[in-house]
């Protein structure tokens, strides 16, 4: 069918979603490392590790921006498609 998206096509926001996922997972790893001393009874990590934990939220925001960009591109493509269709 012509209306189906090919498996190897990329949408405009795909790069942002991938980058956001990578940043999110770095933040998740930093969070696990930061919380581990609380359960293990060892000395806590320095403050910068808590700031690295904030990467989870940053990654989530980047991925969300990628999703919104993809939605905007699909809406624009749909409008262009319907504008060219005969009535």
């Amino acid at each position: 069918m012509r209306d189906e998206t090919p498996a190897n096509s990329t949408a405009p926001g795909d790069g942002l979603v991938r980058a956001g996922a990578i940043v999110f997972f770095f933040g998740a790893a930093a969070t696990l490392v930061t919380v581990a001393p609380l359960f293990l009874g060892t000395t806590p990590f320095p403050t910068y590790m808590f700031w690295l934990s904030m990467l989870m939220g940053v990654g989530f925001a980047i991925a969300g921006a990628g999703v919104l960009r993809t939605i905007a591109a699909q809406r624009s493509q749909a409008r262009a498609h319907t504008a060219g269709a005969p009535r």
Side-chain angles (χ1 to χ4, degrees):
M1 299 178 100
R2 290 183 180 212
D3 293 338
E4 291 182 11
T5 304
N8 59 356
S9 70
T10 58
D14 285 352
L16 283 173
V17 172
R18 286 186 188 116
I22 291 168
V23 172
F24 179 86
F25 286 121
F26 275 121
T31 300
L32 289 174
V33 168
T34 304
V35 174
L38 298 174
F39 294 112
L40 299 175
T42 60
T43 58
F45 284 100
T47 307
Y48 70 87
M49 288 300 292
F50 291 99
W51 286 104
L52 284 177
S53 298
M54 300 291 179
L55 288 177
M56 283 178 62
V58 172
F60 189 76
I62 292 170
V67 169
L68 292 176
R69 185 171 177 189
T70 301
I71 290 170
Q74 288 177 352
R75 283 186 176 181
S76 153
Q77 185 180 14
R79 277 192 213 113
H81 182 68
T82 57
R87 294 183 185 195

